[in-house]
């Protein structure tokens, strides 16, 4: 019906302009009735992992399932996922908190039935000192993480949007970019408005900015951001690894240019995430497959100059704590034997935090609100945690008979998310700074810190619980 109305309006304007041109008469265009933008309860700007999962979560939450939702995504329609195709190069380490969200909305079984790799152990070590930390899943009720392809997560949440109720209430528009938004002032009864590049305008009670770290919604909300460009790239690739009996270990080594990580996908395949300088990433992308595989293997085993003082201090610390010499507990990852074609890609890395996640008529979730270095595998996990808190707050608003965009409830969402996100964001940003130098006093401090964390179970469990959920 709205399309028909819009067409009618365009015809009206055209007719007026033609009349104007042929007769020279001056028509008062300003008196033409202004068309009302099509209205939704909630508009989600951005259909990445976080925006699409939020749409699915709304449709699976009984008290919110009848809300009229519009999901606007600048990219083309999602192309689907084939579990028998080779592994994709974009994967994420997903924590238990995210798994619980997927279970709640009914997306988990589909992912598990396709291909999900639980991580049973993790080893993180520092090439400048060999200080290391191990995590084992025996110490926890849950897996350390699950490695899942981003496309599989997207496919599972898109499939939820195909069921009858979701199809009735959630509309998805692809290939449309939000150009600007206008938000109501405090206490006004106006709606939030979204203006597309095509000139189309929509209004809504609540606008959700899930449009990534360059968020247009955030920019127009006018919130302050703290951001740092790390001048580093995250290079990803899908690699073949030497036949490991049970390739279920996540490996991460901090080398002078940044961390390099191998995440297990199946017994013969792993996913590489290599954070390095822009120039080095460019060179790595241009290498042949064989040369690239050699470079990965070298990065995991190459000996870097070590300070004798640091090595002695670590050994002394280990004997003091009743541990054996460090070298005896350091394992090596499986050898990379090949690189799958066309799986290398690089992404700029940076940090960003919005001073506020909400304003009248709008809220931010995912990377639009916070961006973090991938070294701790927390970025999208924090976005999933935002979804849980926002769905809770919106449900409370509806139960209380308040408007869906009532600021009181949005602030409830913001408060819970900030409490969860800030320690992780600050911690990972701090680690990025600590590990981006080979200045001896810093290497000394970080190595002692890592080794103490490894040796004292209560500290280790504390960090582990934070990372898991
Ligand atoms: C190399 C690498 C490895 C990572 N590994 C992990 C990991 O192991 N674990 C983890 O938790 N996180 C990881 N992350 C982080 C994770 O990928 C991000 O946090 C996550 O993808 C953010 O999702 P999002 O939906 O918030 O934003 P995005 O993925 O950026 O999605 C935003 C969407 O909005 C759309 N959009 C943008 N602007 C507009 C507009 N104006 N109009 C309409 N649409 C628009 C875009 O097309 C896009 O689809 C990693 C990141 C990198 C770079």
């Amino acid at each position: 019906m709205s399309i028909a109305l819009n067409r009618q309006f365009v015809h009206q304007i055209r007719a007026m302009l033609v009349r104007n041109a042929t007769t020279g008469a001056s028509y008062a265009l300003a008196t033409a009735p202004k068309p009302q933008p099509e209205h939704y309860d909630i508009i989600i700007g951005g259909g990445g992992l976080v925006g699409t999962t939020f749409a699915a979560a709304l449709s699976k939450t009984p008290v919110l399932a009848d809300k009229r939702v519009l999901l606007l995504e600048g990219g083309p329609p999602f192309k689907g996922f084939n579990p028998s195709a080779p592994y994709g190069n974009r994967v994420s380490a997903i924590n238990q908190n995210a798994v619980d969200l997927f279970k709640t909305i009914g997306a988990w079984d589909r992912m598990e039935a396709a291909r999900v790799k639980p991580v049973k152990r993790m080893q993180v070590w520092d090439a400048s000192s060999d200080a290391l930390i191990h995590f084992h899943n025996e110490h926890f009720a849950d897996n350390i993480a699950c490695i899942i392809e981003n496309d599989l997560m997207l496919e599972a949440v898109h499939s939820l949007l195909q069921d009858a109720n979701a199809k009735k209430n959630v509309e998805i528009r692809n290939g449309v970019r939000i150009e600007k938004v206008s938000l109501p002032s405090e206490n006004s009864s106006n709606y939030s408005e979204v203006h597309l590049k095509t000139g189309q305008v929509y209004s809504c009670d609540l606008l959700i900015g899930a449009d990534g770290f360059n968020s247009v919604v955030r920019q127009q909300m006018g919130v302050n951001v703290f951001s740092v460009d790390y001048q580093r790239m995250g290079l990803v690739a899908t690699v073949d690894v030497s036949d490991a009996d049970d390739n279920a270990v996540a490996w991460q080594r901090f080398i002078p240019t940044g961390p390099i990580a191998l995440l297990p996908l199946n017994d013969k395949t792993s996913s590489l995430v290599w954070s390095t300088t822009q120039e080095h990433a460019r060179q790595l992308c241009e290498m042949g497959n064989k040369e690239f595989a050699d470079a990965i293997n070298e990065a995991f085993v190459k000996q870097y100059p070590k300070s004798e003082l640091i090595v002695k201090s670590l050994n002394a610390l280990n004997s003091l704590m009743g541990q054996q010499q460090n070298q005896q507990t350091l394992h090596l990852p499986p050898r990379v034997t090949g690189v799958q074609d066309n799986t290398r890609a690089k992404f700029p890395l940076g940090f960003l935090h919005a001073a506020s996640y909400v304003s009248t008529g709008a809220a931010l979730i995912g990377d639009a609100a916070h961006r973090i270095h991938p070294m701790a595998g927390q970025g999208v996990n924090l976005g999933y945690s935002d979804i849980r808190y926002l769905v809770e707050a919106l449900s409370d608003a509806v139960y209380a008979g308040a408007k869906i965009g009532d600021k009181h409830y949005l602030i409830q969402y913001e408060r819970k998310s900030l409490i969860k996100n800030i320690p992780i964001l600050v911690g990972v940003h701090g680690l990025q700074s600590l590990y981006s130098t080979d200045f001896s006093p810093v290497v000394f401090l970080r190595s002692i810190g890592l080794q103490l964390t490894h040796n004292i179970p209560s500290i280790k469990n504390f960090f582990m619980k934070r990372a898991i959920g």
Side-chain angles (χ1 to χ4, degrees):
M1 188 170 97
S2 64
I3 293 173
L5 274 177
N6 282 343
R7 275 208 195 111
Q8 209 181 330
F9 178 68
V10 171
H11 282 309
Q12 264 176 15
I13 296 286
R14 236 186 240 147
M16 288 168 88
L17 290 175
V18 169
R19 261 180 281 154
N20 201 16
T22 49
T23 64
S26 73
Y27 284 86
L29 276 179
T31 60
K34 196 177 167 220
Q36 288 303 306
E38 192 168 353
H39 188 78
Y40 291 83
D41 295 310
I42 300 173
I43 295 182
I44 304 167
L49 287 173
V50 176
T52 312
T53 306
F54 180 63
L58 288 174
S59 77
K60 293 291 162 192
T61 305
V63 72
L64 300 169
D66 64 345
K67 298 292 168 208
R68 218 172 149 234
V69 176
L70 175 64
L71 177 63
L72 296 170
E73 165 56 35
F78 177 58
K79 59 185 185 324
F81 175 83
N82 175 1
S84 3
Y87 281 89
N89 61 358
R90 292 307 310 272
V91 311
S92 299
I94 293 303
N95 64 20
Q96 191 57 40
N97 190 34
V99 172
D100 290 344
L101 170 72
F102 288 137
K103 285 184 178 165
T104 309
I105 63 176
W108 181 246
D109 288 350
R110 201 172 172 100
M111 294 184 208
E112 225 183 6
R115 47 191 189 197
V116 165
K117 182 71 186 175
V119 176
K120 295 185 184 153
R121 284 189 292 125
M122 185 161 84
Q123 176 178 290
V124 178
W125 72 114
D126 184 345
S128 305
S129 69
D130 280 350
L132 65 81
I133 187 161
H134 282 145
F135 295 104
H136 298 259
N137 71 345
E138 302 95 71
H139 301 143
F140 307 95
D142 304 307
N143 291 309
I144 290 174
C146 286
I147 311 299
I148 312 183
E149 288 149 281
N150 291 3
D151 275 354
L152 173 54
M153 289 191 279
L154 263 180
E155 199 262 348
V157 288
H158 267 288
S159 76
L160 297 179
L161 293 172
Q162 293 311 311
D163 78 23
N165 180 61
K167 264 191 144 163
K168 185 165 70 128
N169 294 311
V170 183
E171 218 176 290
I172 305 177
R173 290 204 55 200
N174 280 97
V176 288
R177 290 202 72 79
I178 299 173
E179 186 167 53
K180 68 177 177 107
V181 306
S182 47
L183 300 174
S185 51
E186 189 110 35
N187 300 324
S188 107
S189 57
N190 290 348
Y191 295 124
S192 304
E193 282 189 351
V194 176
H195 300 250
L196 300 186
K197 284 224 155 114
T198 54
Q200 255 169 314
V201 184
Y202 298 105
S203 68
C204 59
D205 291 20
L206 177 62
L207 172 62
I208 303 298
D211 48 346
F213 66 87
N214 282 323
S215 170
V216 173
V217 177
R218 186 190 65 235
Q219 282 158 26
Q220 312 253 336
M221 280 165 72
V223 295
N224 290 329
V225 291
F226 172 67
S227 65
V228 181
D229 181 347
Y230 288 142
Q231 307 280 326
R232 292 282 190 278
M233 300 302 275
L235 170 66
V236 298
T238 310
V239 297
D240 306 321
V241 291
S242 54
D243 212 352
D245 263 356
D246 179 17
N247 182 25
V249 185
W251 308 90
Q252 180 154 253
R253 188 182 199 213
F254 285 92
I255 59 177
T257 43
I260 177 168
L262 266 187
L263 307 173
L265 293 171
N266 66 23
D267 283 354
K268 294 188 171 141
T269 318
S270 290
S271 177
L272 171 83
V273 185
W274 190 345
S275 310
T276 187
T277 60
Q278 291 157 336
E279 176 54 21
H280 188 216
R282 192 189 56 74
Q283 291 165 4
L284 290 169
C285 277
E286 283 171 5
M287 286 175 181
N289 281 351
K290 163 86 177 66
E291 203 187 341
F292 183 53
D294 290 346
I296 300 169
N297 289 323
E298 191 194 17
F300 276 111
V301 296
K302 182 176 170 182
Q303 290 301 310
Y304 291 90
K306 293 185 186 71
S307 143
E308 212 178 311
L309 171 71
I310 297 174
V311 173
K312 278 189 180 154
S313 308
L314 283 177
N315 287 340
L317 180 71
N318 281 335
S319 8
L320 200 69
M321 313 281 311
Q323 298 283 318
Q324 292 169 332
Q325 291 261 306
N326 208 31
Q327 283 77 355
Q328 285 168 285
T329 56
L330 180 70
H331 301 281
L332 287 179
R335 272 188 71 74
V336 171
T337 53
V339 179
Q340 299 192 1
D341 286 337
N342 305 319
T343 59
R344 269 177 268 177
K346 53 188 170 64
F347 303 89
L349 303 179
F351 176 92
L352 179 144
H353 192 248
S356 171
Y357 295 0
V358 303
S359 72
T360 305
L364 301 171
I365 53 176
D367 275 24
H370 39 71
R371 181 183 182 206
I372 188 171
H373 194 289
M375 69 168 77
Q378 286 294 322
V380 78
N381 286 305
L382 294 182
Y384 291 141
S385 151
D386 294 342
I387 292 176
R388 278 186 17 165
Y389 292 134
L390 185 55
V391 166
E392 254 171 51
L394 299 182
S395 302
D396 287 353
V398 173
Y399 274 128
K403 284 200 307 193
I404 193 88
D406 189 316
K407 192 128 175 237
H408 169 80
Y409 293 92
L410 294 183
I411 287 173
Q412 183 178 305
Y413 150 67
E414 179 184 62
R415 198 178 321 118
K416 285 189 182 161
S417 277
L418 286 175
I419 292 171
K420 161 96 191 189
N421 297 348
I422 284 185
I424 293 173
L425 288 157
V426 170
V428 174
H429 180 54
L431 281 177
Q432 140 69 26
S433 315
L434 273 180
Y435 280 96
S436 54
T437 175
D438 50 8
F439 181 50
S440 294
V442 178
V443 174
F444 178 77
L445 283 177
R446 76 188 187 208
S447 303
I448 296 290
L450 195 64
Q451 210 59 48
L452 276 173
T453 310
H454 178 61
N455 289 341
I456 303 177
S458 55
I459 306 185
K460 195 161 154 178
N461 289 352
F462 172 80
F463 283 115
M464 200 58 210
K465 283 197 180 117
R466 283 238 165 227
I468 280 183

